[in-house]
Amino acid sequence: MKYQLSIQEKLKDLRVEKGLSLEELAAETDLSKSALGSYETNDHKDISHTAIIALAKFYGVSADYLLGLSENRNECSSDISELKLDDDAIGILKSGTINNRLLCEIIKHPDFWKFMSDTEIYVDSLAEMQIRNLNSFVALMRSKIRVRDQIPDSEHYLRTLKACEIDEDDYFSRLICEDITAIAKDIKESHRRDAETGDENNPLTDVIDVVKEFAMATDPMKATLSTLSKQLGMNFNKMDPAEVQFFTTLVEKYSTSYRSMLPKKGRGKK
């Protein structure tokens, strides 16, 4: 995930958010489709100040945001002291050592309040007394049962009561981990199509599948056609006989790799 969006990415995201095509955007802004398209590509031309003003006004964002001078879509007039950040926190945010864009997405997630609430409860020990009282009650009942019925601690029922006691650290570590993991999964899913996201397809898997297919094949030509079809995004099993024959003719004529797999004619060297 990128630390910062480029001007091109911002312009494209804003257009997509409004559900507009380039033609529709051109009609709304009186800017040409070709110019708008060039603004959204990696090899975009310089954007005129007239276009910046028109697009900023149409999208309802600041010109500084479109120019890459700010990551805030709206003009921010709030004093930084209102954010209640100390000097160290501000220094970290300004240092560029963390992905502030990702941090913003985490904070904006609808379940972020739950993560913060559970963390605050744990840090401030707000549940510690209740957990301690609950554990004390369970321990007391276990002790009474053991004394009354002369049952050893190894007895299944008493061990069950022992297992009911709550370890505050273990409980909240799982709870907080579940909170942040759910948030991270949602953000990951929203960025699955980003250019910077790792490819889910493992090239080695494809190689292994090809090797297996050739190893198990009784017909080298069929295995070759099946492999080529996968690489070309074609469904070999849905080809009719005429298409299979045409495909076969092409492979036999032009595929050097297939010919190399065929048995050699004549005697081998002694």
Side-chain angles (χ1 to χ4, degrees):
M1 179 181 179
K2 284 187 175 180
Y3 276 58
Q4 186 174 348
L5 291 175
S6 66
I7 297 174
Q8 306 95 289
E9 290 169 327
K10 289 179 179 179
L11 288 171
K12 185 172 183 179
D13 284 352
L14 288 167
R15 177 174 61 79
V16 171
E17 285 176 15
K18 281 189 172 290
L20 297 174
S21 65
L22 286 172
E23 291 86 350
E24 293 169 329
L25 181 59
E28 294 283 350
T29 59
D30 291 328
L31 299 171
S32 71
K33 174 187 172 183
S34 60
L36 291 170
S38 69
Y39 299 156
E40 295 183 7
T41 58
N42 290 328
D43 55 349
H44 73 286
K45 61 184 179 181
D46 292 335
I47 306 176
S48 68
H49 73 280
T50 304
I52 286 290
I53 294 172
L55 290 169
K57 183 177 180 180
F58 176 74
Y59 288 129
V61 300
S62 68
D64 283 350
Y65 176 74
L66 293 184
L67 292 170
L69 301 176
S70 170
E71 290 305 301
N72 298 317
R73 292 191 177 188
N74 302 316
E75 294 289 350
C76 185
S77 58
S78 301
D79 190 275
I80 196 168
S81 62
E82 296 179 17
L83 301 178
K84 309 301 181 184
L85 300 173
D86 61 25
D87 293 337
D88 291 338
I90 294 172
I92 292 172
L93 292 173
K94 293 173 66 177
S95 68
T97 56
I98 67 171
N99 190 332
N100 288 354
R101 183 184 167 210
L102 176 57
L103 180 60
C104 288
E105 293 207 28
I106 292 174
I107 293 173
K108 291 185 293 184
H109 191 279
D111 289 336
F112 180 71
W113 69 269
K114 185 174 183 293
F115 165 72
M116 288 297 294
S117 178
D118 290 338
T119 303
E120 191 171 356
I121 291 171
Y122 175 64
V123 170
D124 292 341
S125 299
L126 299 180
E128 182 177 359
M129 183 61 70
Q130 289 85 342
I131 291 175
R132 188 183 304 145
N133 290 340
L134 178 61
N135 288 340
S136 296
F137 176 76
V138 173
L140 178 61
M141 294 304 298
R142 197 174 87 254
S143 178
K144 284 184 176 181
I145 293 172
R146 187 180 68 243
V147 172
R148 185 191 66 191
D149 300 331
Q150 297 298 305
I151 300 175
D153 281 333
S154 59
E155 200 274 335
H156 179 71
Y157 182 67
L158 290 184
R159 289 180 62 82
T160 301
L161 287 176
K162 178 65 176 175
C164 289
E165 295 182 11
I166 300 173
D167 183 285
E168 183 190 19
D169 292 339
D170 288 344
Y171 173 76
F172 277 98
S173 65
R174 289 196 299 271
L175 188 63
I176 293 171
C177 182
E178 289 172 0
D179 292 341
I180 195 63
T181 299
I183 292 172
K185 283 184 176 179
D186 286 346
I187 295 175
K188 176 184 178 182
E189 184 61 32
S190 68
H191 289 279
R192 189 171 295 280
R193 295 185 180 277
D194 287 3
E196 293 76 25
T197 300
D199 191 354
E200 293 181 350
N201 297 321
N202 186 348
L204 182 58
T205 302
D206 295 336
V207 173
I208 293 174
D209 289 342
V210 170
V211 172
K212 285 182 178 179
E213 189 159 359
F214 274 100
M216 298 172 61
T218 55
D219 185 346
M221 173 54 76
K222 185 176 180 180
T224 300
L225 296 179
S226 177
T227 301
L228 290 175
S229 298
K230 290 178 181 177
Q231 294 174 344
L232 296 172
M234 299 160 57
N235 191 332
F236 176 69
N237 294 324
K238 289 189 176 181
M239 290 185 182
D240 60 39
E243 291 172 332
V244 172
Q245 182 57 50
F246 177 71
F247 199 10
T248 301
T249 302
L250 287 177
V251 172
E252 288 178 336
K253 185 174 181 180
Y254 296 107
S255 176
T256 56
S257 59
Y258 171 70
R259 289 200 297 269
S260 67
M261 292 185 296
L262 297 176
K264 303 295 186 297
K265 294 182 180 180
R267 295 183 180 180
K269 292 184 179 179
K270 292 184 179 180

